[in-house]
Amino acid sequence: MSNSKFSRRGVLKTGMVASAGLAVPQYLRADAHAGFTNAPSDSEVILGFNVPQTGPYADEGADELRAYELAVEHLNGGGDGGMLSTFSSKVLDGTGILGREVKYVTGDTQTKSDAARASARSMIEKDGAIMITGGSSSGVAVAVQALCQEAGIIFMAGLTHSNDTTGKDKRANGFRHFFNSYMSGAALAPILAAQYGTDRKAYHLTADYNWGYTTQEAIQSSTEAMGWETVNTVLTPLTQTDFSSYIAPVLNSGADVLVLNHYGGNMVNSLTNAVQFGLRQAEANGKQFEIVVPLYSELMARGAGQNIAGILGSQNWDWKLENQLGDRYSGTNAFVRSFGEKFGFPPSQAAHTCYVQTLLYADAVTRAGSFNPCAVVEALEGFEFDGLGNGPTLYRAEDHQCFKDVVVVRGKENPENEFDLVEIVEVTPVAQVTYAPDHPQFAGGALGSCNPGA
């Protein structure tokens, strides 16, 4: 585990106590009576950034860490302040969180649930982290969210798109800013119908874990509702790097659309294989064969290169939003400027959502006047905000899901540079992607009550 910008001063562990199946540390310090896990000292507060530093989603993890570093810098009064100036809530003033300097520890999820839980547990038990955030896999998010619920720690999810995170696996101590599979389906279906027609036959390749399952379900149900037929669905291992054996049968399947329910390196590799097999030039059923990638970002587009040209998909956010669509997406330019000046290139949607989640946590603590997880939960539930790049946004109390506009994108045919590979096709209004908390795609599970831990 890396301990960048972190000192262990004030967190000497003396013993362990059991708390709902998780060992939680006891500390020799004046605020140990505060009544919640890892109550911070008077001088500093420790946050845990748990991201994929290795594995198929490592590129997203690297950008997440950059964003977290920038968020900590801004919270502590460094840099230009970024979105602190555009955020509709005005309680953050660059003096840390409730007067405590923000420090952080990091862990590597490896895009594996067990590894992610182990690194999160270490940050909680050994390092005294009071909030865990990060990840680029819904399997990881669900696992770490459950751990944080047991430990009495707030989990501010990073990049997790599966319906399950705020569906059947939702937890009172967990919050998701990123959009979800249902929202992608609701936003994409009308665009797919307009661009490719309603008489289509789709073949799905799907990552074999909960994000893949719910994304396939969302896209399949939304496209079938508009007239598409699903001819086959095939699961692929998350560890797969060569998808040739999965692509080969597609051309003889009767399908005329391939839907790649893949993300990160998986998407780059499967799309590359599909192009190598000639699917972009093929015809089927008297139609031009098409490929759809339900979820991708500019970061993935850079990996895919020219293969992404013309490919439709959805995003949580895009760094060009404010420039192209105006003040509704204020905050975008402030973040892009800060990130670009520090790192030399525009931020990805993974970086954006992780930066925002860090500010939202700090803001909730400040508005609540307490680090107690139950006070933070109360401050976030039903919180409406603006100025963080997505337009007006609601953190819904019933499931801790953020509701905001969804961006539909397409790979540019003639990009001007390596950072401008995606064009915004349409921004779908939040009303079109909003669903009832008991929608069938989110059935099962209960939010439960907040757990303050110790």
Side-chain angles (χ1 to χ4, degrees), residues 14 67 113 122 155 169 219 242 292 314 351 421:
T14 61
S113 296
S122 180
F155 176 61
D169 294 308
I219 301 301
D242 184 349
V292 177
S314 65
L421 302 178

Side-chain angles (χ1 to χ4, degrees), residues 325-340:
L325 297 172
D327 290 344
R328 178 173 175 83
Y329 303 103
S330 66
T332 290
N333 286 350
F335 177 55
V336 171
R337 180 176 59 252
S338 292
F339 191 97

Side-chain angles (χ1 to χ4, degrees), residues 6 61 119 125 128 180 189 234 256 331 348 390 424:
F6 171 68
S119 58
E125 294 181 358
N180 58 43
V234 178
D256 46 52
S348 66
N390 290 110
I424 298 170

